[in-house]
Amino acid sequence: MGEWKNVRVGELGKIITGKTPKTSISDNYGGRIPFLTPSDNMSVKYVGKTSKTLTEKGLLEVKNAILPENSVCVSCIGSDLGKAVITTCPTVTNQQINSIIVDEKSFDVSFVYYAMQILGKKMNFISKTSTAVPIVNKSSFSSYEIKCPPREDQKRIAAVLSALDSKIECNKKINDNLAA
């Protein structure tokens, strides 16, 4: 394995803080574009169905906030602070989520996801000592550091962790079936 280096989150790719279209305009909601919030299921690796969706009109209201597939989204507020997921299609998040559009030439998306899982626990711990409602803004989020090996090593590490996640998910489904 190659040498591990300290990398700021802001160097992993482009950081985007989500936006919320006006909720008073009902035409903004109910379309085909997933709208991810911390209240959605962020305990899985990939974003599934979101409780809210946006219309094209809603998307226009938050232009420049749409994330491509394979963006890593991290909840940055409250009790869900530090939870991370990967988008599976173009998605918009609210302002309580900071996302990384990963520079895939230098970093592996799955490795970044797993690194955010670890960093998320650290952010959650640190933030609980500072305010009543823990929150991490974009500049603070961007300045956190993680350790990264060369990209090929990132891919190998992420492949092992992904295989373990797949096995855990399979076992969970078996247990759910047995319970039913």
Side-chain angles (χ1 to χ4, degrees), residues 17-78:
T17 299
K19 297 178 185 173
T20 301
K22 290 182 183 138
T23 55
S24 59
I25 301 174
S26 60
D27 288 350
N28 285 340
Y29 295 88
R32 60 170 185 77
I33 302 151
F35 183 62
L36 181 69
T37 70
S39 62
D40 287 309
N41 185 7
M42 293 187 74
S43 64
V44 293
K45 183 173 180 180
Y46 295 100
V47 175
K49 187 175 192 239
T50 57
S51 60
K52 293 180 183 174
T53 57
L54 300 181
T55 60
E56 293 296 328
K57 183 177 193 259
L59 181 61
L60 285 174
E61 200 171 303
V62 293
K63 54 186 154 191
N64 301 325
I66 192 155
L67 303 167
E69 177 181 353
N70 285 327
S71 296
V72 179
C73 305
V74 182
S75 176
C76 286
I77 193 168

Side-chain angles (χ1 to χ4, degrees), residues 146-167:
I146 63 169
K147 290 203 175 275
C148 283
R151 189 170 188 285
E152 286 307 309
D153 292 340
Q154 292 174 35
K155 288 173 79 169
R156 282 193 288 278
I157 292 166
V160 170
L161 294 173
S162 293
L164 289 171
D165 273 350
S166 294
K167 182 64 174 162

Side-chain angles (χ1 to χ4, degrees), residues 98-152:
N98 285 310
S99 301
I100 308 164
I101 301 173
V102 177
D103 171 7
E104 294 188 50
K105 291 179 192 144
S106 302
F107 302 99
D108 179 76
V109 172
S110 284
F111 180 86
V112 170
Y113 162 79
Y114 289 114
M116 290 303 103
Q117 292 285 338
I118 295 166
L119 179 62
K121 289 177 182 19
K122 178 181 175 181
M123 289 185 338
N124 192 303
F125 178 78
I126 291 169
S127 69
K128 285 186 176 174
T129 61
S130 61
T131 62
V133 177
I135 189 165
V136 176
N137 65 28
K138 181 179 179 177
S139 61
S140 294
F141 178 72
S142 298
S143 67
Y144 277 101
E145 286 189 345
I146 63 169
K147 290 203 175 275
C148 283
R151 189 170 188 285
E152 286 307 309

